[in-house]
């Protein structure tokens, strides 16, 4: 149930970057029309944003403020629905700035105030900060925003967590008023529980996103370099996949990919400036046809996951947090991990060029395939319509499975335990305003099956609906990986997805040989085939090797 958003009249936002500025526009627009006080340590950034904001929003935007004290004072509201006329402050900051800002802000806060951390903080760090702030009678909530900065303007998918209280419910009502809405009008903003759970959910969302982006990036290279497709042709194919009602219908990343292929260099925005809502496109329209495609001008280095000369530590770190979580909870997620390692390796361009000079393009460069290079080639059409499309779909599906398996594990080990429908609620909130939005995949995951509720299982892969998709489409992924390897395309995420399915479904893995070697030099023991665990025994836990052989006397 969406609570009356008009209960709130004011909100404060700290951070006037891409996310913060667009969230400010979101709250200062209908249906909430809040008075938004905006603070950033860079006063000129705030001043420039407000000056260029749409006229309809500008009267609702307050700032800039020279420091946090007048900013906090501007939020006073006699009609506030929160206890003690509490104020609401939203932090839209890089994670490494949150603790500093909270420390500086504390002197200007009082009992009843609510601070919402919308950064990409590690969920354990968020929980530690909540305990400190709550001792001072200030409610600190975690907020995971699953959309990009454009969705922060239009209505994102959001997950909220923290101490269960009336103030939290009122804040959720406000968020639901501005969030994305699914096809039934349900808000895609939900309460995901206590502590830093919202940051945990955001971390998983970003992991799935990263895996899907890795898969799509590899498909793009095959189309662009191996099939010699023009960028406009690639854009058309992605657009068809999004709109024709088949696999990957309404996939956000494909829609963005189509637009990326179309954009020309005249659309570039100077680095460091705020994206604005200017409607003056006449100049772009005049020179578009003369400008080169922007994607061809972009360097092949993904720098968000590594320290750079301008950001240390790295500004985006949910990938690091998820990698640590996968190891901590013993979860296999190779599509997500391969995409992450691929991105990290891409950032080290000088090292890549050094190796390229030694081994040359015979090994490290994708090759044009003459028989697929013609638009009307039957081989190209067959490849695009079946091998590539369905291979990419299974790659996306494995990224989803790996991320959701993290949520399923968390649901089993969390204290207090998550409700049985928690994971389904989280997945449902990705219907609109999330970067991983994909109707065909979400329909599969949320479909009510008479045999089983697949989002209440231990692992997605062996569920009947999921296994059926794998059976119908896995050969396409296999063919795609084979072609990618043959053509020297870069396919780490696609090949990881294929091998993940193979070893997760392997009845007899060669790891028996590995275990024998481990016992040889480590005396770690092994299980025997004749003692093969039943499903019931497996639920009780892994035995861990009750036998040892003295392979060679010490």
């Amino acid at each position: 149930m969406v609570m009356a958003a008009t209960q709130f009249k004011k909100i404060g936002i700290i951070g006037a970057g891409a996310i913060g500025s667009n969230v400010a526009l979101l709250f200062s627009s209908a249906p909430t029309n809040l008075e938004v006080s905006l603070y950033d340590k860079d006063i000129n950034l705030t001043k420039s944003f407000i000056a260029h904001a749409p006229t309809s929003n500008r009267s609702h935007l307050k700032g800039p403020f020279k420091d946090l004290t007048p900013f906090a004072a501007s939020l006073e509201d006699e009609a506030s629905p929160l206890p003690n006329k509490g104020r609401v402050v939203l932090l839209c900051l890089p994670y490494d700035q949150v603790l500093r800002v909270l420390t500086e802000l504390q002197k200007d806060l009082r009992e009843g105030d609510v601070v919402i951390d919308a950064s990409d903080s590690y969920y354990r760090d968020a929980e530690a900060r909540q305990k400190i702030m709550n001792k001072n009678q200030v409610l600190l909530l975690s907020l995971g925003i699953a959309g990009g900065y454009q969705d922060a303007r239009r209505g994102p998918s959001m997950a909220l967590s923290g101490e269960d209280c009336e103030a939290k419910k009122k804040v959720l009502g406000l968020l639901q008023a501005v969030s994305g809405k699914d096809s039934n009008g349900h808000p895609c903003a939900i309460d995901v529980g206590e502590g830093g759970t919202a940051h945990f959910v955001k971390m998983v969302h970003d992991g799935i996103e990263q895996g899907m982006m890795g898969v799509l990036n590899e498909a793009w290279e095959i189309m662009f370099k191996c099939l010699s497709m023009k960028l406009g042709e690639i854009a058309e194919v992605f657009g068809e996949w999004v709109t024709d009602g088949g696999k990957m219908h309404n996939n956000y990343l494909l829609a963005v990919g189509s637009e990326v292929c179309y954009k020309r260099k005249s659309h570039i925005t100077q680095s460091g400036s705020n994206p604005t809502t200017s409607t003056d496109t006449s100049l772009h329209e005049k020179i578009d046809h003369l400008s080169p495609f922007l994607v061809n001008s972009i360097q092949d280095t993904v720098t968000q996951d590594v320290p750079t000369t301008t950001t240390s530590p790295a500004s985006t770190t949910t990938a690091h947090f998820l990698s640590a979580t996968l190891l901590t909870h013993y979860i296999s997620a190779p599509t997500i991990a391969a995409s992450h390692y691929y991105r990290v390796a891409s950032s080290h361009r000088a090292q890549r060029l050094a190796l390229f000079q030694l081994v040359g393009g015979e090994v490290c460069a994708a090759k044009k395939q003459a028989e697929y290079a013609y638009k009307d080639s039957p081989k190209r059409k067959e490849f695009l319509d079946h091998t590539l499309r369905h291979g990419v779909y299974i790659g996306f599906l494995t990224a989803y499975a790996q991320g959701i398996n993290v949520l399923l594990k968390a649901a089993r080990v969390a204290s207090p335990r998550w409700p049985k429908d928690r994971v389904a609620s989280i997945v449902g909130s990705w219907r609109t305003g999330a970067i991983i939005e994909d109707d065909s995949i979400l329909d599969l995951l949320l479909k009510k099956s008479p045999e089983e509720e697949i989002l209440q299982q231990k692992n997605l892969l062996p569920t009947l609906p999921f296994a059926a998709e794998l059976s119908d489409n896995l050969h396409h992924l296999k063919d795609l990986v084979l072609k990618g390897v043959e053509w020297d395309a870069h396919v780490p995420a696609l090949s990881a997805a294929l091998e993940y399915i193979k070893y997760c479904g392997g009845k007899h893995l060669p790891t028996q040989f590995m275990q024998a070697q481990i016992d040889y030099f480590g005396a770690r023991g092994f299980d025997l085939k004749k003692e093969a665990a039943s499903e019931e025994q497996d639920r009780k836990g892994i035995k861990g090797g009750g036998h040892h052989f003295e392979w060679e006397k010490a």
Side-chain angles (χ1 to χ4, degrees):
M1 177 68 67
V2 180
M3 300 181 69
T6 52
Q7 289 179 310
F8 289 91
K9 302 297 182 185
K10 298 182 178 183
I11 190 171
I13 296 176
I14 299 179
I19 293 290
S21 58
N22 280 281
V23 169
L25 294 177
L26 180 69
F27 280 113
S28 60
S29 303
T32 53
N33 292 313
L34 300 188
E35 179 181 300
V36 179
S37 294
L38 187 61
Y39 171 81
D40 195 286
K41 64 180 181 180
D42 184 347
I43 290 181
N44 290 329
L45 184 64
T46 309
K47 189 181 296 184
S48 175
F49 164 70
I50 294 176
H52 291 90
T55 305
S56 58
N57 296 89
R58 207 172 302 156
S59 61
H60 297 280
L61 298 173
K62 306 301 177 186
F65 298 91
K66 64 178 182 180
D67 57 50
L68 289 170
T69 298
F71 164 78
S74 72
L75 302 176
E76 294 292 351
D77 180 13
E78 291 295 320
S80 170
L82 298 176
N84 199 33
K85 300 176 184 177
R87 302 162 294 179
V88 179
V89 177
L90 181 64
L91 306 182
C92 295
L93 300 165
Y95 85 99
D96 57 325
Q97 295 183 23
V98 172
L99 183 58
R100 175 186 61 80
V101 171
L102 282 175
T103 302
E104 294 175 358
L105 185 62
Q106 267 191 315
K107 63 179 174 44
D108 296 305
L109 297 175
R110 63 166 186 267
E111 180 179 347
D113 286 342
V114 177
V115 179
I116 308 169
D117 177 9
S119 72
D120 284 338
S121 290
Y122 183 47
Y123 71 100
R124 294 295 189 196
D125 293 341
E127 289 170 351
R129 293 167 188 160
Q130 285 175 353
K131 291 177 181 178
I132 294 172
M133 298 295 287
N134 292 355
K135 284 181 181 179
N136 298 327
Q137 305 302 311
V138 173
L139 180 63
L140 178 59
L141 300 174
S142 289
L143 181 66
I145 300 178
Y149 73 84
Q150 297 97 335
D151 294 297
R153 168 76 190 281
R154 295 190 291 260
S157 167
M158 292 181 280
L160 183 71
S161 70
E163 181 183 324
D164 194 15
C165 59
E166 191 61 29
K168 180 186 176 186
K169 293 177 182 177
K170 292 183 182 296
V171 169
L172 178 63
L174 175 62
L175 297 177
Q176 289 178 332
V178 298
S179 73
K181 309 295 188 296
D182 67 17
S183 58
N184 294 317
H186 298 139
C188 292
I190 62 170
D191 180 352
V192 294
E194 299 181 356
T197 308
H199 282 116
F200 188 93
V201 170
K202 174 62 161 58
M203 173 186 72
V204 171
H205 168 279
D206 289 1
I208 297 172
E209 169 196 323
Q210 184 168 255
M212 293 174 72
M213 289 182 70
V215 167
L216 187 56
N217 153 89
E218 294 162 24
W220 178 87
E221 181 186 52
I222 289 172
M223 298 168 81
F224 187 57
K225 296 181 180 179
C226 300
L227 274 59
S228 300
M229 293 178 67
K230 296 179 180 179
L231 288 169
E233 294 172 338
I234 298 174
E236 289 176 5
V237 170
F238 287 166
E240 288 173 6
W241 292 356
V242 172
T243 58
D244 68 4
K247 304 295 185 187
M248 302 178 292
H249 176 68
N250 200 29
N251 181 290
Y252 177 84
L253 284 171
L254 279 170
V256 169
S258 178
E259 189 169 347
V260 164
C261 288
Y262 272 129
K263 291 296 182 182
R264 294 182 180 269
K265 202 170 181 179
S266 58
H267 291 94
I268 196 166
T269 302
Q270 184 179 357
S271 177
S273 64
N274 262 327
T276 68
T277 53
S278 172
T279 57
D280 182 13
T281 59
S282 57
L283 178 61
H284 289 170
E285 292 169 355
K286 289 176 182 177
I287 65 174
D288 249 6
H289 66 286
L290 301 176
S291 301
F293 287 100
L294 178 56
V295 70
N296 285 337
S297 302
I298 295 176
Q299 187 58 277
D300 63 346
T301 52
V302 178
T303 58
Q304 283 74 18
D305 300 321
V306 296
T308 69
T309 55
T310 56
T311 60
S312 184
S315 58
T316 301
T317 58
T318 49
H320 299 86
F321 298 152
L322 181 58
S323 295
T325 301
L326 294 174
L327 294 173
T328 301
H329 293 291
Y330 312 105
I331 299 171
S332 178
T335 310
I336 294 172
S339 296
H340 177 55
Y341 297 144
Y342 186 20
R343 286 161 59 133
V344 171
S346 79
S347 68
H348 303 298
R349 181 168 172 79
Q351 297 174 27
R352 291 192 285 115
L353 292 179
L355 180 59
F356 182 84
Q357 293 299 321
L358 296 174
V359 301
E362 286 302 313
V363 177
C364 300
K367 310 298 189 301
K368 176 180 177 179
Q369 304 301 307
E371 55 189 333
Y372 291 83
Y374 300 100
K375 186 173 183 179
D376 298 327
S377 165
K379 281 193 172 184
R380 179 198 276 194
K381 179 172 176 54
E382 173 73 16
F383 180 80
L384 290 175
D385 291 348
H386 300 284
T387 303
L388 189 66
R389 179 171 189 168
H390 294 278
V392 168
Y393 169 67
I394 293 298
F396 283 176
L397 208 55
T398 60
Y400 249 97
Q402 291 163 23
I404 291 176
N405 280 346
V406 178
L407 294 178
L408 294 173
K409 181 65 175 285
R412 296 196 303 275
V413 304
S415 180
R417 293 290 296 274
W418 287 7
K420 282 189 175 182
D421 61 350
R422 174 70 56 78
V423 176
S425 297
I426 292 168
V427 173
S429 73
W430 295 334
R431 281 286 192 188
T432 301
I435 291 176
I436 61 174
E437 180 182 345
D438 183 309
D439 282 355
S440 59
I441 293 177
L442 292 170
D443 286 345
L444 172 70
L445 296 175
L446 295 167
K447 183 179 180 180
K448 299 296 183 183
S449 168
E451 296 89 358
E452 58 189 348
E453 294 288 342
I454 67 174
L455 292 179
Q456 294 183 19
Q457 305 303 309
K458 197 173 184 179
N459 185 338
L460 277 188
L461 291 184
T463 58
L464 293 176
F466 209 92
E469 291 297 303
L470 297 182
S471 296
D472 291 344
N473 297 284
L474 186 58
H475 65 285
H476 292 301
L477 175 60
K478 184 177 181 180
D479 289 345
L480 179 56
V481 171
L482 286 171
K483 288 296 186 187
V485 172
E486 179 186 347
W487 299 343
D488 288 327
H490 303 92
V491 289
L494 286 166
S495 57
L498 175 62
E499 293 301 325
Y500 172 70
I501 296 167
K502 286 168 59 182
Y503 64 65
C504 283
K507 185 175 182 180
H508 298 294
L509 296 178
T511 42
Q512 65 188 87
F513 179 73
M514 186 187 301
Q515 188 64 31
Q517 287 191 302
I518 292 171
D519 185 61
Y520 183 105
F521 57 72
R524 294 302 183 93
F526 49 82
D527 297 324
L528 293 173
K529 288 187 175 182
K530 66 181 181 181
E531 300 170 340
S534 66
E535 187 175 338
E536 177 63 29
Q537 289 172 321
D538 186 49
R539 281 196 289 267
K540 294 179 179 178
I542 301 168
K543 285 181 64 177
H547 303 274
H548 167 66
F549 181 73
E550 196 64 25
W551 301 86
E552 183 179 5
K553 290 185 179 180

